[in-house]
Amino acid sequence: MCTYVTEQVKISGSGKGPHGWFRLTAATVYFDHPVHALGAEHTLNIDFAAPELGPAARVAVELLPATAERLVVAIQAALAAGPEH
């Protein structure tokens, strides 16, 4: 089921692309048909980007729904165990 719901958030971080590391300033999260995750009908897709650097400054992931849920739990656990931010 495509929800066409797209969440966008400003971020601060770094990503590694074919030409090395670059600063990330935006993330787009959406649930849709995958482009590359063959065999999956739908995936949670995350595009980490630096739009100011052009379309090549992008790191994209397609996660199976159960994988995305496990990743959320792992991120929350790592943040809870780390120092205050």
Side-chain angles (χ1 to χ4, degrees):
M1 172 178 96
C2 297
T3 63
Y4 301 105
V5 173
T6 300
E7 299 290 333
Q8 294 182 318
V9 62
K10 290 182 181 183
I11 63 170
S12 180
S14 296
K16 189 173 183 184
H19 303 293
W21 288 94
F22 58 96
R23 296 248 181 248
L24 297 172
T25 58
T28 304
V29 181
Y30 53 100
F31 191 76
D32 203 348
H33 298 287
V35 173
H36 192 268
L38 300 177
E41 189 170 327
H42 293 92
T43 52
L44 179 82
N45 306 310
I46 307 171
D47 291 334
F48 298 101
E52 61 279 3
L53 298 178
R58 176 177 173 254
V59 177
V61 296
E62 296 176 337
L63 303 172
L64 296 177
T67 299
E69 290 171 347
R70 289 193 304 274
L71 180 59
V72 168
V73 171
I75 290 170
Q76 290 174 329
L79 287 172
E84 290 292 321
H85 42 275

